[in-house]
Amino acid sequence: MDKFAKGAVRAQKAGFDGVELHFSHSYLVNSFLSRVWNKRQDAYGCQSLENRARFGLRSCALLKNAAARIFPVGVRINGREWGAKEGTTSEESVGFAKLFEQAGANYIHVTGIGYGFGHKMCWMFPDFRPYPEVTDDTREIADALKTTGALAPYAEAIKKAVSIPVIVVNNLTPQMGERILEQGKADLIAFARRLMADPELPGR
Ligand SMILES: Cc1cc2nc3c(=O)[nH]c(=O)nc-3n(C[C@H](O)[C@H](O)[C@H](O)COP(=O)(O)O)c2cc1C
């Protein structure tokens, strides 16, 4: 856990403006948050939201103590997980967001993940499909995320529950992004692949 703090201090010294704690997709901290992975019965176990969040909460708190107070610390979480019955629900994500806000997070970045092939594969891209056809166990996420702005309802649910800014991502167009902002479903929108294709997009 203290490695997050050490990493953030290093980033701060190197001149970065802030850090984002990656608690989403299927990385380390999500393996505590998500019941897909977390089968523990100890204080970090799957018995309660607080226990599932404990690793992340302690990492966040250590980091907030170590870095300068003005250094923004965001937390990226799955707004929902598809394709597994133990996958994180929207309600659980809202609970996690509230806990991370209390732990000092300066914003929440909402992404999502789907599981397929007996949980062996995790994915987040609607157009990243198993060849040649979407399989039965990956159909749920493929259908869920194929429309632009599909994660907006999960960001909105979190935004209603916290007072820090909420970012939404995934398969957005600039037009859909504007609509989401106008409708107050999120405070910021994020692009990944569009910026790789056109880094000048935000200035247009
Ligand atoms: C090549 C590539 C690598 C990515 N690597 C990561 C990663 O390491 N961590 C992460 O949280 N998201 C990663 N993402 C996901 C993006 O952060 C983003 O959530 C996703 O691409 C959906 O947004 P988009 O539809 O605007 O591309 C990656 C995306 C791409 C295209």
Side-chain angles (χ1 to χ4, degrees), residues 20 22 24-25 27 76 109-112 124-127 151 169-172 190-196:
E20 185 168 277
H22 200 329
S24 52
H25 300 162
Y27 289 101
R76 194 176 209 207
H109 185 166
V110 182
T111 177
M124 73 207 97
F125 307 126
D127 44 5
L151 289 181
V169 70
N170 204 287
N171 198 17
L172 295 172
F191 297 114
R193 288 165 294 171
R194 256 172 216 281
L195 291 187
M196 290 175 191

Coordinates of all heavy atoms in Angstrom, one line a residue, residues 20 22 24-25 27 76 109-112 124-127 151 169-172 190-196, ligand 1:
E20 N -3.6 9.5 -10.4 CA -4.8 8.8 -10.4 C -4.6 7.4 -9.9 O -3.7 6.7 -10.4 CB -5.5 8.8 -11.8 CG -6.8 8.2 -11.8 CD -7.6 8.4 -13.1 OE1 -8.2 9.5 -13.3 OE2 -7.5 7.5 -14.0
H22 N -5.4 3.7 -9.7 CA -6.1 2.8 -10.6 C -6.7 1.7 -9.8 O -6.1 0.7 -9.5 CB -5.1 2.3 -11.6 CG -5.8 1.7 -12.8 ND1 -7.1 1.1 -12.8 CD2 -5.5 1.7 -14.1 CE1 -7.4 0.8 -14.0 NE2 -6.5 1.1 -14.8
S24 N -9.5 0.2 -10.8 CA -10.6 -0.3 -11.7 C -10.1 -1.5 -12.5 O -9.1 -2.1 -12.2 CB -11.1 0.8 -12.6 OG -10.1 1.4 -13.2
H25 N -10.8 -1.8 -13.6 CA -10.6 -2.9 -14.5 C -10.3 -4.1 -13.6 O -11.0 -4.4 -12.7 CB -9.5 -2.5 -15.5 CG -9.9 -1.3 -16.3 ND1 -9.0 -0.5 -17.0 CD2 -11.1 -0.8 -16.5 CE1 -9.7 0.4 -17.6 NE2 -11.0 0.3 -17.3
Y27 N -7.1 -4.7 -12.1 CA -5.8 -4.5 -11.5 C -5.9 -4.8 -10.0 O -6.9 -5.2 -9.5 CB -5.3 -3.1 -11.8 CG -4.9 -2.9 -13.2 CD1 -5.8 -2.2 -14.1 CD2 -3.7 -3.3 -13.7 CE1 -5.4 -2.0 -15.4 CE2 -3.4 -3.1 -15.0 CZ -4.2 -2.5 -15.9 OH -3.9 -2.3 -17.2
R76 N -9.8 5.8 -9.9 CA -10.6 5.3 -11.0 C -11.2 4.0 -10.6 O -10.5 3.1 -10.1 CB -9.6 5.0 -12.2 CG -10.4 4.8 -13.5 CD -9.4 4.6 -14.6 NE -10.1 5.1 -15.9 CZ -9.8 4.6 -17.1 NH1 -8.8 3.8 -17.3 NH2 -10.5 5.0 -18.1
H109 N -13.1 8.7 -11.2 CA -13.1 8.5 -12.7 C -13.8 7.1 -12.9 O -13.3 6.1 -12.4 CB -11.7 8.4 -13.2 CG -11.5 8.3 -14.6 ND1 -10.3 8.5 -15.3 CD2 -12.4 8.0 -15.6 CE1 -10.5 8.4 -16.6 NE2 -11.8 8.0 -16.8
V110 N -14.9 7.2 -13.6 CA -15.8 6.0 -13.7 C -15.5 5.3 -15.0 O -15.7 5.8 -16.1 CB -17.3 6.4 -13.6 CG1 -18.2 5.2 -13.7 CG2 -17.5 7.2 -12.3
T111 N -15.1 4.1 -14.9 CA -14.9 3.2 -16.1 C -15.7 1.9 -15.9 O -16.7 1.9 -15.0 CB -13.4 2.9 -16.3 OG1 -13.2 2.1 -17.4 CG2 -12.7 2.3 -15.1
G112 N -15.5 0.9 -16.6 CA -16.2 -0.4 -16.4 C -15.4 -1.5 -17.0 O -14.4 -1.4 -17.6
M124 N -12.9 -3.9 -21.8 CA -13.7 -2.7 -21.6 C -14.1 -2.1 -22.9 O -14.8 -1.1 -22.9 CB -12.8 -1.7 -20.8 CG -11.7 -1.1 -21.6 SD -10.4 -0.6 -20.5 CE -9.3 -2.0 -20.7
F125 N -13.6 -2.6 -24.1 CA -13.9 -2.0 -25.3 C -15.1 -2.6 -26.0 O -15.0 -3.8 -26.3 CB -12.7 -2.0 -26.3 CG -11.5 -1.5 -25.6 CD1 -10.3 -2.2 -25.6 CD2 -11.5 -0.2 -25.1 CE1 -9.2 -1.7 -25.0 CE2 -10.3 0.3 -24.5 CZ -9.2 -0.5 -24.5
P126 N -16.1 -1.9 -26.4 CA -17.2 -2.5 -27.1 C -16.8 -3.1 -28.4 O -17.4 -4.0 -28.9 CB -18.2 -1.3 -27.3 CG -17.4 -0.1 -27.1 CD -16.2 -0.4 -26.2
D127 N -15.8 -2.5 -29.1 CA -15.4 -3.1 -30.4 C -14.2 -4.0 -30.3 O -13.7 -4.4 -31.3 CB -15.1 -1.9 -31.3 CG -14.2 -0.9 -30.7 OD1 -13.8 -1.1 -29.5 OD2 -14.0 0.2 -31.4
L151 N -21.6 4.4 -20.2 CA -21.2 4.4 -18.8 C -21.8 5.6 -18.1 O -21.7 5.7 -16.9 CB -19.7 4.4 -18.6 CG -19.0 3.0 -19.0 CD1 -17.5 3.2 -18.7 CD2 -19.5 1.9 -18.1
V169 N -16.0 8.0 -19.0 CA -15.2 7.7 -20.2 C -15.9 6.6 -21.0 O -16.9 6.1 -20.5 CB -13.8 7.2 -19.7 CG1 -13.8 5.8 -19.0 CG2 -12.7 7.1 -20.9
N170 N -15.4 6.2 -22.0 CA -15.7 5.0 -22.8 C -16.6 5.3 -24.0 O -17.8 5.6 -23.9 CB -16.4 3.9 -22.0 CG -16.2 2.5 -22.7 OD1 -16.9 2.3 -23.7 ND2 -15.3 1.7 -22.2
N171 N -16.0 5.2 -25.2 CA -16.7 5.2 -26.4 C -17.5 6.5 -26.6 O -18.7 6.5 -27.0 CB -17.6 4.0 -26.5 CG -18.1 3.7 -27.9 OD1 -17.5 4.3 -28.9 ND2 -19.1 3.0 -28.1
L172 N -17.0 7.6 -26.1 CA -17.7 8.9 -26.2 C -17.3 9.6 -27.5 O -16.2 9.6 -28.0 CB -17.3 9.8 -25.0 CG -17.7 9.3 -23.7 CD1 -17.1 10.2 -22.6 CD2 -19.2 9.3 -23.5
A190 N -13.7 12.0 -20.5 CA -12.4 11.5 -20.9 C -12.4 10.8 -22.2 O -13.4 10.1 -22.5 CB -11.8 10.6 -19.8
F191 N -11.4 11.0 -23.0 CA -11.2 10.2 -24.3 C -9.9 9.5 -24.2 O -8.9 10.1 -23.7 CB -11.1 11.2 -25.5 CG -12.4 12.0 -25.7 CD1 -12.3 13.4 -25.6 CD2 -13.5 11.4 -26.1 CE1 -13.5 14.1 -25.9 CE2 -14.7 12.1 -26.4 CZ -14.6 13.5 -26.3
A192 N -9.8 8.3 -24.7 CA -8.5 7.6 -24.9 C -8.2 7.4 -26.4 O -7.4 8.2 -26.9 CB -8.6 6.3 -24.2
R193 N -9.0 6.5 -27.0 CA -8.6 6.2 -28.4 C -8.8 7.4 -29.4 O -8.0 7.6 -30.3 CB -9.4 5.0 -28.9 CG -9.0 3.7 -28.2 CD -10.0 2.6 -28.4 NE -11.2 2.9 -27.7 CZ -12.4 2.2 -27.8 NH1 -12.4 1.2 -28.6 NH2 -13.4 2.6 -27.0
R194 N -9.8 8.2 -29.1 CA -10.0 9.4 -30.0 C -8.8 10.3 -29.9 O -8.4 10.9 -31.0 CB -11.2 10.2 -29.6 CG -12.4 10.0 -30.4 CD -13.6 10.6 -29.9 NE -14.7 9.7 -30.2 CZ -15.3 9.7 -31.5 NH1 -14.9 10.4 -32.4 NH2 -16.3 8.8 -31.7
L195 N -8.2 10.4 -28.8 CA -7.0 11.3 -28.7 C -5.8 10.7 -29.3 O -4.9 11.4 -29.8 CB -6.7 11.6 -27.2 CG -7.7 12.5 -26.5 CD1 -7.2 12.9 -25.1 CD2 -8.0 13.8 -27.3
M196 N -5.7 9.4 -29.3 CA -4.6 8.7 -30.1 C -4.7 9.0 -31.5 O -3.8 9.3 -32.2 CB -4.6 7.2 -29.8 CG -4.3 6.8 -28.4 SD -4.5 5.0 -28.2 CE -4.3 4.9 -26.5
Ligands
LIG1 C1 -4.0 1.1 -26.1 C2 -4.8 1.3 -24.9 C3 -4.3 1.0 -23.6 C4 -5.0 1.2 -22.5 N1 -4.4 1.0 -21.3 C5 -5.1 1.2 -20.2 C6 -4.5 1.1 -18.9 O1 -3.3 0.7 -18.8 N2 -5.2 1.4 -17.8 C7 -6.4 1.9 -17.9 O2 -7.1 2.2 -16.9 N3 -7.1 2.0 -19.1 C8 -6.4 1.7 -20.2 N4 -7.0 1.9 -21.4 C9 -8.5 2.2 -21.4 C10 -8.7 3.7 -21.5 O3 -8.3 4.3 -20.4 C11 -10.2 4.0 -21.7 O4 -10.9 3.6 -20.5 C12 -10.8 3.2 -22.8 O5 -10.0 3.2 -24.0 C13 -12.2 3.7 -23.2 O6 -12.2 5.0 -23.6 P1 -12.2 5.4 -25.2 O7 -13.5 4.8 -25.7 O8 -12.2 6.9 -25.2 O9 -11.0 4.8 -25.8 C14 -6.3 1.7 -22.6 C15 -6.9 2.0 -23.8 C16 -6.1 1.8 -25.0 C17 -6.8 2.1 -26.3

